[in-house]
């Protein structure tokens, strides 16, 4: 499938074509994972020492158990008595919306926007976690498309009024 964008270029009308992008094209394939038995403190320490805000919690067989995010940390600190003694399973998000590698990016972005979430675990055909897509991944993809459009526009001498 291709998505076309019409541009009025000085050499006449041309069609700038982008390949449709699916989740597999931009997802991270080696997400940081936790087990449900990690302590809350261990998970927070890991988050503190890494650039990531979302960790996938997986069962020993590779299936998704939940997501542990910076939002879960804030929620636990505010609502959970004795949070220091909790395991990840006690504070993680259990009901998680997921996508497959074949999911179109527009669908993934729509789900993230409508659910007000910043990541989607990616589940393979075998039912196991194979990656994660985050709002940062989507913004990076958008930036590349936008830069391409701007380069096309600028290289033709087009100006806007």
């Amino acid at each position: 499938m291709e998505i076309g964008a019409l541009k009025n270029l000085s050499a006449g009308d041309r069609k700038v074509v982008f390949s449709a992008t699916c989740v597999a094209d931009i997802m991270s394939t080696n997400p940081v994972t936790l087990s449900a038995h990690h302590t809350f403190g261990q998970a927070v320490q890991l988050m503190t020492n890494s650039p990531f805000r979302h960790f996938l919690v997986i069962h020993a067989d590779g299936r998704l158990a939940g997501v542990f995010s910076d939002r879960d940390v804030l929620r636990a600190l505010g609502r959970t008595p004795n949070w220091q003694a909790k395991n990840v399973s006690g504070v993680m998000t259990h009901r998680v919306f997921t996508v497959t590698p074949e999911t179109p990016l527009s669908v993934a972005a729509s789900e993230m926007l409508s659910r007000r979430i910043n990541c989607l675990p990616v589940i393979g055909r075998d039912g196991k976690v194979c990656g994660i897509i985050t709002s940062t991944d989507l913004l990076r993809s958008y930036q590349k498309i936008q830069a391409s459009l701007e380069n096309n526009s600028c290289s033709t001498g087009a100006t806007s009024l």
Side-chain angles (χ1 to χ4, degrees):
M1 175 190 288
E2 292 183 336
I3 300 169
L6 292 177
K7 296 297 252 178
N8 186 5
L9 304 177
S10 60
D13 288 343
R14 289 192 207 164
K15 188 175 183 183
V16 179
V17 180
F18 300 99
S19 295
T21 308
C22 62
V23 167
D25 294 330
I26 69 167
M27 72 182 193
S28 298
T29 56
N30 294 316
V32 177
T33 61
L34 298 169
S35 80
H37 302 294
H38 277 98
T39 67
F40 179 79
Q42 289 171 320
V44 170
Q45 186 66 38
L46 181 62
M47 192 173 285
T48 301
N49 294 326
S50 77
F52 307 112
R53 298 177 295 139
H54 310 92
F55 300 122
L56 301 182
V57 182
I58 59 170
H59 296 291
D61 66 359
R63 296 185 183 276
L64 184 68
V67 171
F68 182 80
S69 72
D70 53 352
R71 286 185 184 174
D72 295 313
V73 171
L74 294 174
R75 202 172 6 259
L77 292 175
R79 297 182 189 163
T80 308
N82 199 19
W83 52 265
Q84 300 93 331
K86 294 285 185 186
N87 283 342
V88 168
S89 63
V91 294
M92 71 183 184
T93 301
H94 293 271
R95 297 188 68 183
V96 179
F97 185 79
T98 63
V99 291
T100 66
E102 297 81 20
T103 301
L105 277 185
S106 61
V107 171
S110 292
E111 288 299 329
M112 290 170 74
L113 287 168
S114 68
R115 295 173 188 277
R116 297 177 53 100
I117 57 176
N118 291 305
C119 78
L120 293 168
V122 183
I123 307 299
R125 294 177 197 257
D126 60 359
K128 296 179 181 178
V129 172
C130 63
I132 187 171
I133 183 170
T134 67
S135 53
T136 301
D137 297 324
L138 289 171
L139 281 170
R140 194 174 292 119
S141 178
Y142 167 76
Q143 185 274 330
K144 287 178 184 175
I145 292 169
Q146 187 62 32
S148 176
L149 289 171
E150 290 168 1
N151 287 338
N152 255 348
S153 178
C154 292
S155 67
T156 63
T159 60
S160 60
L161 300 175

